[in-house]
Amino acid sequence: NNATDLIKNLLAHNPDKRWSAENALGAEYFFEKPLWKKAHELSMKFGVDSVHEWEARKKHEKARINAQAAKLKSLPTSRRPL
């Protein structure tokens, strides 16, 4: 998939292998035929739940509460707060 190749090369971790903006403009993605695709032809294989701020906050809060509960369980009974 040309879109995936473009993104992969723009986000390459190694700066020597990462594409510049000039390289990206020559990517096959921009020269695909047809230049537009119908919605059902788009490659939409990514989850969006994890990028919504509200969901991320709830997930973080749940992890914090679970970590705190685990820490309290590991304390001897005499040292646990009331």
Side-chain angles (χ1 to χ4, degrees), residues 31-58:
F31 302 99
E32 287 182 341
K33 298 288 182 199
L35 293 177
W36 58 273
K37 294 182 180 182
K38 295 178 182 175
H40 70 277
E41 295 173 338
L42 296 173
S43 175
M44 303 294 282
K45 297 178 184 173
F46 57 90
V48 212
D49 293 339
S50 62
V51 296
H52 289 288
E53 182 180 358
W54 180 253
E55 294 296 325
R57 285 183 183 197
K58 287 194 320 187

Side-chain angles (χ1 to χ4, degrees), residues 6 9-11 15 17-27 30-31:
L6 172 64
N9 286 305
L10 285 171
L11 298 176
K17 294 182 179 180
R18 189 178 311 134
W19 281 4
S20 66
E22 186 176 353
N23 294 127
L25 288 174
F30 296 112
F31 302 99

Side-chain angles (χ1 to χ4, degrees), residues 4 13 16 20 22 28-29 46 51 70 74 77 79:
T4 306
H13 184 67
D16 296 329
S20 66
E22 186 176 353
E28 288 296 318
Y29 171 77
F46 57 90
V51 296
S74 69
T77 309
R79 296 198 59 212

Side-chain angles (χ1 to χ4, degrees), residues 70-81:
K71 185 176 180 181
L72 286 175
K73 278 186 175 181
S74 69
L75 290 175
T77 309
S78 61
R79 296 198 59 212
R80 291 183 189 170

